[in-house]
Amino acid sequence: MPREQPSWVHEQRRTLGRRIRDLRTQKGHTQEVLVEMTDIDRRTFQRIEAGTSDPRYGDLLRIAAALQVPLVELVK
């Protein structure tokens, strides 16, 4: 049975998802375009943006590359 995570973990996930969404919209991309650019499953990408999924490191690297931002800017 999975262990319950502290509330700050959930908040950080939501913050990351908002940051990805904001950067994506600033670049003028839809979710569909970013999904194609990153080769991340559409549902997985939706969950990352919604803050309900723990993204894998490789997914974050691909998202940062597609948005043309350093990884550190994506997760700050």
Side-chain angles (χ1 to χ4, degrees), residues 12-75:
Q12 289 297 314
R13 268 197 232 130
R14 286 188 295 271
T15 300
L16 175 62
R18 282 190 301 267
R19 180 85 175 131
I20 292 169
R21 184 190 63 231
D22 290 347
L23 288 167
R24 175 180 59 76
T25 57
Q26 286 173 15
K27 300 281 184 176
H29 297 312
T30 63
Q31 279 188 343
E32 291 77 22
V33 167
L34 218 60
V35 162
E36 287 181 26
M37 292 173 75
T38 60
D39 198 32
I40 295 172
D41 177 73
R42 180 184 61 82
R43 188 69 186 127
T44 299
F45 188 82
Q46 289 172 336
R47 288 178 180 143
I48 291 170
E49 272 200 359
T52 60
S53 174
D54 283 323
R56 296 182 316 180
Y57 183 69
D59 292 343
L60 292 175
L61 289 173
R62 289 197 303 269
I63 291 169
L67 293 172
Q68 299 176 326
V69 297
L71 180 61
V72 69
E73 185 176 332
L74 186 68
V75 298

